[in-house]
Amino acid sequence: MKIKIQKKIKSSKGLLVVPVFKENLKTLPATCPTVVKKFIQQVHKNKDFDTKPCTIASTYALARGLPEKVSVIGAGSNKKFNLRSAKELGGKIGKHAKKIKASQLTILLTPEIIENAQCFLEGILMSQYEVDKMKSKKKKEEEYKLMKLEVVVEKKDKTLSEALEKALIISEGVEYVKDLVNTPSNVIDVAYFEKEARTIARKNKYKLKILRNKELKKLKWGALLAVNQGSKKEANCIALQYDGAKDKKEKPVILIGKGVIFDTGGYNLKPTRHIETMHQDMAGGAVVLGVFEILKKLKIKKNVIGLIPVAENLISASAYRPSDIITSYSGLTIEITNTDAEGRLILADAITYGTKFKPESIITIATLTGAVAVALGDRYSGLIGNDRNLKRALQKAGKKTDDLGWLLPIHRDYKKKINSKVADIRNYDIGTGGYAGASKAAAFLERFVDKNKWCHIDIGGTAFTKDPKEYQTRGATAQGLEMLVKYLQDAK
Ligand code: BES
Ligand code: MN
Ligand code: ZN
């Protein structure tokens, strides 16, 4: 897509969109042509348009030289306008252009929108996403694409072009994650993950280490290996390193993303309605790859290490069983009380590995539980951890990007629920089962973090959606990516 910032409407094709705030009905931007101003006043007078957020009135062929179709869109009150509404407005406009198959889009920006330009532009760009990577070329060509975007402003300035640049970097990262998560598991397997990590490392000159089967066995990553036992393909753990801090010796932030290629549940097999979308179970790992796609481009000034344990939870003659007792990399023995509680197992070994870097903090991100979706739905990811400041900082970063998180507690009693009679710990509380499932999963992880500052982001409800926001699309959402990037950007 070509994007231009200019001071006049240049295109005579496609769609012209004029966002209108309640307060601005009479003071439309100077860039707005008189015929369009008249149209707006008329539809408003006829009560066909009331400036309520995301409501639209359209007309055709107002005048020569103008785009063929003109739509005015309500932006609500400028007093309530913020980065979230900017992102939603951008998304709404993007989807409107998509719906009418306009391949060129011209938008008149007001000062309110320019103030939130990055979010607004992200909204437009993210809304254009299509799950089309698996379509043959011919089919793809038949489909609609927005080819040209023109934003019209009274005054061009550097901050606006910088906002555009950032929006492009972020939305490309989001798209990258969405593609990984939407693509099925026969295509995205362990080796594919490794290849992606390699490409990212090469492009950005990051250090990369891949712990493969042989090394994992030698180091005794018993938990990761147990989960992968039922698969014909070998598990691995990807370790990416970015040195962005001025001081090379500054302690790194460790990001750990769950990379379960497909989660059948194992012998605790998932029912049909739950199994269908389990190719999403590597979303945490995909987000970590996405963060590394972005770190260098945004020149983030932190040292970051990304760890992605990658495995597949399948059923076969060699799969692990309920009642197995395994020894994790930390040395703790684990009774397997449920083979579907596999995410915490592969994360456990990666966390132990992470602690060896003497980190500033450890952040885990995973589609860890269905329970978090019951608690928070698909609008908030769960934030659980042992450090209030870290949790709050992540939540704040989420607020700034509309990638929201909500703090969940671990009651001290729940920490005991994963004690086992026959091993050091068990991976699932059989007794009081589903109660506080998200907290108990995190309580399991906490056993491995030692004294380190740690926060877990449970994206079990947010990684994949059937009910997208204005700027989202059905399926993968890349939630967690923007929260993490913003956190790292703002962190001291
Ligand atoms: N990957 C699932 C969690 C999940 C479910 C993510 C639905 C996204 C959508 C995880 O491995 C899992 O199976 N969790 C179980 C744990 C339970 C069986 C111990 C859950 O929360 O239902
Ligand atoms: Mn599972
Ligand atoms: Zn899982």
Side-chain angles (χ1 to χ4, degrees), residues 219-234:
L219 294 169
K220 301 202 171 104
W221 287 46
L224 172 63
L225 290 169
V227 169
N228 198 62
Q229 241 169 250
S231 174
K232 280 192 179 155
K233 298 175 181 173
E234 289 178 347

Side-chain angles (χ1 to χ4, degrees), residues 258 263-265 270 278 281 313 339-343 368:
K258 170 179 173 182
D263 181 13
T264 64
K270 285 188 181 296
M278 275 306 128
D281 216 20
N313 191 16
T339 57
D340 198 11
E342 86 298 338
L368 197 64

Side-chain angles (χ1 to χ4, degrees), residues 226-297:
V227 169
N228 198 62
Q229 241 169 250
S231 174
K232 280 192 179 155
K233 298 175 181 173
E234 289 178 347
N236 69 27
C237 182
I238 292 162
L240 280 157
Q241 184 176 336
Y242 166 72
D243 303 316
K246 270 198 202 109
D247 179 1
K248 291 271 176 294
K249 292 212 183 74
E250 199 178 288
K251 289 178 174 178
V253 174
I254 311 272
L255 295 183
I256 306 179
K258 170 179 173 182
V260 170
I261 294 299
F262 195 89
D263 181 13
T264 64
Y267 281 108
N268 294 99
L269 184 63
K270 285 188 181 296
T272 309
R273 68 178 190 286
H274 287 152
I275 210 168
E276 280 166 352
T277 61
M278 275 306 128
H279 62 280
Q280 67 164 294
D281 216 20
M282 31 59 83
V287 165
V288 173
L289 284 183
V291 169
F292 275 80
E293 264 286 299
I294 291 175
L295 283 172
K296 178 100 173 266
K297 290 184 192 156

